[in-house]
């Protein structure tokens, strides 16, 4: 199918039908991870470390196993000792050995909450009693929480075999620095020498959790012949299969993973925590084992994303032309290497066309839970610093902040410092829309301020599979391998309906299990509507070809003489013959007589996902007495390529912006001096609530991505990139001071105001 | 240890279940009555995913003991629709795309119903503060608030007609 240029040619794409899974979700029928039960099911629970860093001297499970109703206990001794091996299964780098040890500590515990044993019992109470009865002897070791402290030469060492990657020559001594990344463009010294104005700053952000409302949950059921099924919610059931197979040394064909509805993930469910333990307990007991985390466990042992320190320096000419941009990033990785510092470094200056760039990043382990992907991993942390510096630069130059960004904005043909040359991108169009928006020129009152910030995310494509089945009555089913986390089933049905020329209500989509559809990567990287959408479109196109062939057979003419139009086969021209149109249903009815079922499955590795850009405008009012910041108005402009279902595109933008607002104002992991997390609950870890917020106005700019049949770009991640900068710049405007440290909470702002 | 026998009215029908002393109403609804539409997001009353209406009052079912349900009238998400006729709030949530993952949705719908039972004509601010006990991490609340306000307007119109 050719790229669809004219929006007016589209009938279904761009409309706002009710999502096909909607009724189940408003009536309580939708089955999420914790909603299933199987006959004979046991309850699994995890024993966790009370220390941030300790050697495991011994684990005595005998008393637990002797308790009534306790069926099995597993520790690291029950799992294969996995060799170090890089894996690219989820979103971002992961090492199989680290993953295995993160799921079940071996030799050492590396953070408070690290799993040391798991039990399966006939009831929650029996499992709870078993946890208490497991005796673990620890040799407590000195711990380190802060990443910069962990870089010190005398810091407690987490891994004796961790030598910093990316250093030449290779270090001779182990350290807590897992990796150094460094890249640049041009000549950074010459760039600063040419600058007439320089701004710099040191910014810090705190670890924040994805805070999906659904805690991790699964049921695993192993059979005596080795065949197993895992039911659960995740951002990728093929990811679950790959990790579990590796961690347990099983064949993939013996593990079927059935995706249940997922109650939010935001990147945090692109890894496994429970599934390998539940399956191992099931293999040991011969019974299904259900495991559900408590909220406290979610906070202590899953996610979060890195806290980071970013030093940024930008030089420019008096006319605003940036001559040099430099950043140094230090990111918490948690207990094992693998923070998103690399992505953050690449995104840092990606919005700008700068000739001289130098970016260095450090991935640092410390006694915190291993970080997991969180929506545009790393990018918001870099953007908070860079956009703060850009705001300072605009002030120094007395330039309009959007004009400054326009002057230096990336466009088609710009060579990004991280490597590629941008194709058609919509950054300048986004800036123009922001500048023209009435919000940007609306009046402000006392103690109020307005901030602007921009953001970039790569967006990805990758491996996806989709099937389209025409049913005997002419209705259609669409099957894909992408867990639907925010309405993607609706998009798949809409794209298939558009190609087939049928009403979207006649196309019903499902997400199939690992044995029922070809491999599909995780729902992450803003890739599903792009890549799985492309597979769906291609499958629907194949079905259209078959429908044309069947019509040709019925009419006894050449398939070339048949066109497909509005859901019907029509003769391609007068020469083809004077046949009445054959609707899809009529062709489906005769399928048996014309060659059998009309179906197509397509598996692709989609390339060419279009980069995404956004610009946010935020108004705040800061109470000078309490330091409390109220968000008064918020507008989020984004190039979305083309919105398949505009309501769900808007929803992505609104939700991402609000997560960013929480990151900016409230959210943080708080540790005490003993390395214990102090706020593992929603009371003390405060995500934004409805009364904290105004309406969030999304503005969709559509610069179609020519690599996708309908012009789709990923949209889910960009919107979390600008908010911390936008809120910070608004607070700067309101109080006359730059807040360099997140969260910009009332105590911090009060302290700044009393200086 | 013997379990307690509890009799209550759930979604207009008589219901009975057995529970332990320490079980929450949420445990009983989900595990004994298999009404899994009511969700557990935190177990500490901070997220509202387990919202139910007990004798006309909005409560977090994770904070109420199952034995306390004896003789009570309980409404859960499963009782919101009238057979196959969706409640206006449910329809408006769908029309406004007020859900993404859908996990918090039952709690929001039950809490919003309790709001409109008490106050059929809330201001946006009143709706935002009433629903402040329900966390949604996907939507940023915008479309949820619009759906609730729209449903309220429609219900007022129907009541007046």
């Amino acid at each position: 199918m050719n790229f669809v240029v004219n929006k007016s040619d589209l009938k279904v794409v761009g409309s706002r039908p009710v999502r096909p899974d909607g009724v189940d979700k408003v009536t309580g029928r939708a089955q999420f991870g914790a909603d299933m039960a199987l006959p004979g099911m046991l309850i699994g629970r995890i024993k966790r470390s009370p220390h941030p860093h300790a050697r495991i001297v011994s684990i005595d499970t005998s008393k637990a196993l002797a308790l009534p109703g306790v069926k099995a206990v597993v520790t690291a001794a029950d799992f294969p000792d996995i060799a170090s091996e890089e894996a690219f299964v989820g979103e971002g780098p992961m090492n199989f050995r680290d993953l295995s040890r993160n799921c079940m500590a071996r030799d050492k515990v590396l953070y408070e909450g690290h799993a040391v044993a798991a039990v399966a019992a006939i009831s929650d109470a029996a499992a709870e009693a078993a946890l208490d009865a497991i005796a673990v002897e620890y040799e407590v070791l000195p711990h380190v929480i802060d990443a910069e402290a962990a870089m010190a030469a005398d810091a407690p060492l987490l891994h004796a075999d961790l030598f910093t990657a990316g250093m030449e020559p290779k270090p001779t001594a182990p350290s807590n620095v897992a990796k150094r990344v460094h890249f640049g463009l041009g000549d950074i010294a010459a760039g600063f020498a040419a600058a007439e104005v320089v701004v710099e700053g040191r910014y810090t952000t705190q670890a924040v959790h994805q805070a999906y409302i659904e805690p991790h949950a699964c049921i695993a059921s192993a059979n005596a012949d080795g065949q197993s099924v895992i039911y659960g919610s995740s951002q990728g059931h093929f990811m679950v299969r790959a990790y579990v197979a590796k961690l347990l040394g099983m064949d993939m064909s013996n593990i079927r993973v059935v995706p249940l509805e997922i109650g939010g993930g935001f990147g945090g469910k692109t890894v496994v925590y429970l599934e390998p333990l539940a399956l191992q307990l099931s293999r040991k007991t011969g019974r299904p084992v259900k495991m559900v985390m408590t909220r406290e466990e979610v906070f202590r042992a899953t996610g979060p994303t890195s806290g980071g320190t970013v030093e940024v320096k930008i030089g420019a000419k008096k006319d605003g032309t940036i001559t040099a941009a430099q950043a140094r990033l230090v990111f918490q990785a948690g207990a094992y290497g693998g923070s998103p510092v690399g992505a953050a470094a690449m995104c840092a200056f990606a919005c700008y066309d700068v000739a001289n760039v130098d970016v260095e990043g450090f991935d640092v382990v410390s006694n915190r839970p291993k970080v997991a992907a969180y929506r545009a991993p790393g990018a918001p942390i870099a953007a908070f610093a860079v956009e703060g510096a850009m705001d300072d630069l605009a002030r120094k130059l007395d330039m309009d902040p959007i004009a400054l960004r326009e002057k230096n904005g990336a466009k088609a043909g710009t060579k990004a410092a991280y490597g590629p040359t941008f194709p058609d991108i919509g950054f300048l169009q986004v800036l123009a829309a922001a500048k023209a928006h009435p919000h940007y020129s609306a009046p402000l009152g006392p103690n109020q301020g307005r901030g602007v910030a921009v953001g970039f995310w790569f967006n990805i494509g990758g491996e996806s599979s989709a099937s389209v089945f025409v049913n005997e009555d002419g209705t259609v089913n669409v099957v894909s391998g992408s867990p639907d986390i925010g309405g993607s089933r609706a998009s798949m049905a809409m794209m298939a309906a558009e190609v087939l020329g049928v009403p979207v209500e006649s196309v019903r989509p499902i997400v199939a299990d690992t044995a029922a559809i070809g491999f599909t990567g995780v729902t992450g990287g803003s890739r599903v509507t792009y890549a799985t959408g492309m597979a769906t479109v291609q499958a629907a196109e194949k079905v259209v070809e078959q429908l044309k062939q069947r019509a040709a057979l019925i009419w006894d003419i050449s398939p070339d003489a048949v066109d497909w139009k509005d859901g019907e086969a029509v003769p391609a021209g007068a020469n083809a013959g004077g046949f009445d149109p054959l609707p899809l249903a009529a062709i489906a009815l005769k399928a048996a007589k014309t060659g059998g079922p009309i179906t197509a499955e397509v598996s692709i590795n989609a390339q060419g996902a279009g980069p995404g850009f956004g610009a946010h405008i935020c108004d705040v009012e800061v109470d000078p007495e309490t330091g409390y910041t109220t968000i008064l108005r918020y507008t989020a402009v984004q190039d979305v390529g083309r919105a398949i279902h505009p309501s769900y595109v808007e929803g992505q933008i609104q939700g991402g912006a609000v997560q960013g607002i929480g990151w900016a104002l409230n959210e943080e992991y708080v540790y005490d001096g003993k390395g214990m997390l102090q706020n593992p609950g929603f009371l003390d870890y405060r995500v934004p609530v409805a009364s904290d917020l105004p309406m969030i106005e999304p503005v969709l700019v559509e610069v179609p991505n020519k690599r996708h049949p309908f012009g789709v770009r990923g949209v889910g991640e960009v919107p979390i990139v600008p908010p911390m900068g936008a809120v910070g710049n608004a607070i700067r405007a309101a109080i006359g001071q730059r807040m360099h440290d997140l969260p910009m909470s009332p105590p911090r702002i009060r302290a700044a105001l009393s200086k | 240890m013997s379990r307690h026998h509890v009799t209550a009215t759930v979604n207009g029908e008589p219901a009975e279940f057995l529970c332990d002393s320490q079980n929450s109403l949420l445990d009983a609804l989900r595990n004994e009555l298999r009404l899994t539409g009511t969700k557990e997001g935190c177990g500490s009353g901070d997220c509202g995913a387990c919202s139910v209406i007990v004798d006309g009052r909005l409560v977090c079912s994770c904070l109420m003991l199952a034995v306390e349900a004896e003789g009570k009238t309980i409404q859960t998400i499963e009782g919101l629709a009238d057979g196959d006729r969706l409640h206006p709030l449910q329809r408006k949530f769908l029309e406004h795309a007020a859900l993404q993952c859908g996990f918090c949705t039952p709690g929001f719908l039950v809490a919003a119903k309790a709001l409109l039972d008490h106050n059929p004509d809330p201001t946006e601010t009143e709706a935002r503060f009433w629903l402040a006990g329900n966390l949604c991490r996907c939507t940023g609340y915008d479309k949820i608030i619009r759906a609730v306000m729209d449903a309220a307007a429609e219900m007022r119109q129907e009541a007046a007609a």
Side-chain angles (χ1 to χ4, degrees):
Chain A
M1 178 168 178
N2 291 327
F3 175 71
V4 177
V5 180
N6 295 320
K7 206 171 167 177
S8 56
D9 293 342
L10 298 169
K11 294 195 167 63
V12 183
V13 166
S15 66
R16 300 176 187 245
V18 167
R19 62 194 282 168
D21 54 318
V23 171
D24 272 355
K25 286 183 174 161
V26 298
T27 54
R29 285 183 199 174
Q31 282 219 318
F32 291 84
D35 295 339
M36 256 191 77
L38 290 178
M41 183 176 86
L42 298 171
I43 301 297
R45 294 289 308 274
I46 295 174
K47 172 97 173 170
R48 297 183 181 277
S49 166
H51 305 295
H53 195 192
R55 192 169 306 287
I56 300 170
V57 177
S58 66
I59 303 177
D60 182 354
T61 62
S62 57
K63 283 194 181 122
L65 280 166
L67 290 174
V70 177
K71 299 295 176 184
V73 181
V74 292
T75 67
D78 296 280
F79 294 84
D81 193 355
I82 305 285
S84 177
E85 183 189 340
E86 287 303 317
F88 284 88
V89 178
E91 191 178 10
M94 176 60 82
N95 183 298
F96 283 125
R97 182 185 62 181
D98 293 345
L99 179 66
S100 169
R101 292 173 179 217
N102 193 43
C103 288
M104 186 59 80
R106 188 177 287 273
D107 307 329
K108 286 215 297 186
V109 290
L110 296 170
Y111 55 94
E112 183 218 2
H114 202 161
V116 292
V119 306
I122 57 166
S123 68
D124 222 21
E128 193 78 32
L131 294 184
D132 289 341
I134 297 172
V136 185
E137 190 186 337
Y138 294 100
E139 175 197 343
V140 176
L141 300 169
H143 67 273
V144 59
I145 296 294
D146 180 66
E148 304 237 35
M151 293 174 84
D154 59 348
L157 198 61
L158 270 73
H159 306 282
D161 59 350
L162 185 65
F163 295 85
T164 309
M167 298 281 273
E168 282 297 333
K170 190 188 165 191
T172 53
S175 76
N176 290 324
V177 182
K179 190 168 146 187
R180 172 184 182 260
V181 294
H182 183 234
F183 62 84
L185 196 65
D187 181 340
I188 192 70
F192 279 116
E196 292 167 322
V197 181
V198 172
V199 292
E200 52 191 318
R202 184 177 187 277
Y203 294 79
T204 64
T205 75
Q206 297 302 315
V208 296
H209 200 276
Q210 297 81 349
Y212 30 81
I213 311 300
E214 180 204 32
H216 299 254
C218 72
I219 303 181
S221 180
N223 274 354
D225 66 358
Q227 295 191 71
S228 304
V229 188
I230 299 172
Y231 304 87
S233 69
S234 79
Q235 284 177 254
H237 38 302
F238 289 90
M239 171 276 299
V240 171
R241 185 180 69 171
Y243 280 147
V244 171
K246 187 76 184 179
L247 266 48
L248 300 187
M250 293 175 68
D251 292 337
M252 284 189 184
S253 59
N254 272 336
I255 304 171
R256 185 161 72 94
V257 185
V258 180
L260 302 180
E261 297 294 342
I262 170 169
F266 316 109
K269 291 177 183 167
T270 58
V271 288
V272 293
Y273 299 98
L274 298 176
E275 292 87 346
L277 312 189
L279 187 53
Q280 203 67 333
L281 286 167
S282 178
R283 290 168 95 194
K284 251 192 151 165
T285 58
R287 290 167 67 169
V289 175
K290 179 173 182 173
M291 296 185 84
V292 182
M293 281 197 199
T294 64
R295 177 56 52 182
E296 187 175 331
E297 288 181 291
V298 173
F299 274 113
R300 288 196 199 280
T302 75
T305 192
S306 311
T309 302
V310 183
E311 289 163 5
V312 61
K313 185 176 170 188
I314 299 175
K317 295 281 193 193
K318 281 188 178 142
D319 70 353
T321 307
I322 298 173
T323 58
Q326 190 169 31
R328 178 180 181 274
L329 303 87
V330 175
F331 273 34
Q332 300 158 359
Y336 303 93
S339 77
V341 72
M346 291 195 274
C347 291
F349 298 112
C351 289
Y352 304 114
D353 186 353
V354 185
N356 305 298
V357 177
D358 181 77
V359 186
E360 185 181 30
F362 296 94
D363 179 33
V364 184
V365 300
S366 66
N367 296 112
R368 294 167 169 270
K370 163 80 176 78
V371 300
Y374 180 24
R375 209 167 194 160
I381 300 167
F384 173 56
V386 169
E387 292 305 294
M390 287 295 286
D391 196 61
D392 285 345
L393 182 61
R395 287 173 184 283
K396 235 172 168 170
L397 294 167
D398 197 21
M399 242 180 120
D400 173 84
I402 294 183
L404 174 64
R405 288 168 173 88
E406 282 179 320
K407 186 158 189 75
N408 296 285
K411 49 191 169 295
T414 295
K415 175 147 174 63
Y418 72 88
T421 299
F422 285 128
D424 278 347
I425 54 172
F427 185 46
L428 294 181
Q429 291 89 326
V430 163
L431 288 174
K435 201 156 74 172
H437 195 283
H439 180 176
Y440 195 54
S441 49
L444 289 165
N447 300 317
Q448 297 181 358
R450 175 167 302 140
V452 172
V454 299
F456 160 86
W457 183 249
F458 315 92
N459 297 326
I460 62 168
E463 294 169 276
S464 281
S465 301
S467 302
V468 174
F469 304 136
V470 175
N471 302 321
E472 303 92 291
D473 62 355
T475 60
V476 177
N477 287 113
V478 172
V479 181
S480 91
S482 290
D484 177 356
I485 203 162
S488 61
R489 262 167 296 193
S491 301
M492 298 309 139
M494 290 171 73
M495 285 187 269
E498 184 73 55
V499 174
L500 295 168
V502 298
V504 69
E505 294 76 17
S506 71
V507 181
R508 292 305 189 192
I510 69 151
V511 184
D513 69 59
T514 52
I517 187 81
F519 179 85
T520 300
V522 294
T523 295
S526 299
R527 57 169 235 96
V528 170
T529 309
Y530 180 73
T532 309
M534 193 182 278
T536 302
V537 167
Q538 289 181 12
E541 286 168 348
K542 285 191 169 184
V543 162
V544 166
E545 283 312 306
Q546 290 179 44
L547 290 165
K548 284 160 67 176
Q549 285 167 11
R550 306 300 175 94
L553 265 177
I554 293 167
W555 288 334
D556 196 19
I557 62 174
S558 159
D560 298 340
V562 180
D563 272 352
W564 189 258
K565 203 162 177 279
D566 296 334
E568 298 180 324
V570 293
N575 293 341
F579 302 105
D580 288 339
L582 263 180
L584 191 152
I587 300 172
L589 198 62
K590 293 185 177 168
K593 291 176 186 161
T594 57
I598 301 168
T599 69
E601 174 162 351
V602 169
S603 292
I604 58 171
N605 189 353
Q607 305 298 311
F613 293 84
H616 292 194
I617 309 167
C618 173
D619 291 357
V620 300
E621 180 169 326
V622 180
D623 183 332
E625 207 173 337
T626 63
Y628 181 80
T629 299
T630 303
I631 306 286
L632 299 172
R633 185 171 181 182
Y634 203 99
T635 303
V637 187
Q638 188 173 322
D639 172 18
V640 302
R642 184 165 280 147
I644 301 298
H645 192 309
S647 298
Y648 287 101
V649 171
E650 292 164 3
Q652 287 293 321
I653 293 173
Q654 292 164 330
V658 167
Q659 287 182 332
I661 289 169
W663 200 338
L665 294 178
N666 315 321
E667 297 177 34
E668 62 176 320
Y669 265 41
V670 179
Y671 281 89
D672 69 6
K674 292 175 181 159
M676 314 292 252
L677 182 63
Q678 293 300 290
N679 58 338
F682 281 134
L683 186 61
D684 299 313
Y685 181 96
R686 195 174 183 289
V687 304
V689 301
S691 55
D692 293 341
L693 296 160
M695 292 298 183
I696 305 292
E697 184 180 346
V699 179
L700 310 186
V701 173
E702 295 190 314
V703 179
N705 172 15
K706 295 202 171 70
R707 298 291 293 271
H708 186 279
F710 296 124
V712 165
R713 286 174 203 280
V715 297
E717 287 169 294
V718 171
I720 200 173
V721 184
M724 291 131 71
V727 174
N729 294 343
I731 291 174
R732 165 69 185 79
I735 69 171
Q737 289 191 60
R738 170 71 54 200
M739 302 297 296
H740 289 93
D741 305 306
L742 295 186
M744 296 175 278
S745 55
R748 284 226 170 92
I749 288 184
R750 261 170 52 92
L753 288 174
S754 63
K755 255 191 247 163
Chain B
M1 185 175 64
S2 73
R3 307 183 82 199
H4 307 278
H5 178 250
V6 176
T7 307
T9 303
V10 179
N11 298 328
E13 290 171 1
E16 47 188 318
F17 57 82
L18 296 175
C19 65
D20 293 332
S21 302
Q22 74 273 20
N23 286 155
S24 67
L25 174 60
L26 175 62
D27 293 334
L29 289 172
R30 287 180 56 83
N31 301 333
E32 303 300 322
L33 297 178
R34 294 295 303 150
L35 292 172
T36 56
T38 306
K39 305 300 181 194
E40 176 163 349
C42 67
S44 54
D46 297 312
C47 80
C50 67
S51 298
V52 298
I53 296 173
V54 179
D55 286 352
R57 261 186 75 196
L58 178 64
V59 303
C60 287
S61 58
C62 73
L63 294 184
M64 180 171 156
L65 290 171
V67 290
E68 293 179 286
E70 177 63 40
K72 298 280 200 293
T73 297
I74 298 163
Q75 290 172 276
T76 73
I77 184 65
E78 287 89 350
L80 192 56
D82 178 11
D84 63 355
R85 261 192 61 223
L86 295 181
H87 188 276
L89 279 163
Q90 292 171 310
R91 264 195 297 108
K92 292 300 177 187
F93 265 57
L94 293 176
E95 284 171 23
H96 286 269
L99 55 140
Q100 284 176 33
C101 80
F103 189 80
C104 71
T105 307
F108 265 99
L109 285 166
V110 169
K113 175 170 191 299
L115 166 65
L116 301 186
D117 287 347
H118 285 81
N119 177 1
D121 191 7
T123 64
E124 182 191 323
T125 303
E126 285 170 338
R128 284 185 178 278
F129 275 86
W130 182 277
L131 296 171
N134 292 75
L135 300 182
C136 170
R137 192 60 158 170
C138 294
T139 65
Y141 305 103
D142 182 302
K143 293 182 189 301
I144 292 176
I145 298 297
R146 288 177 199 277
V148 171
M149 299 303 286
D150 193 11
E154 186 185 291
M155 287 166 71
R156 284 196 305 275
Q157 219 164 24
E158 272 174 17

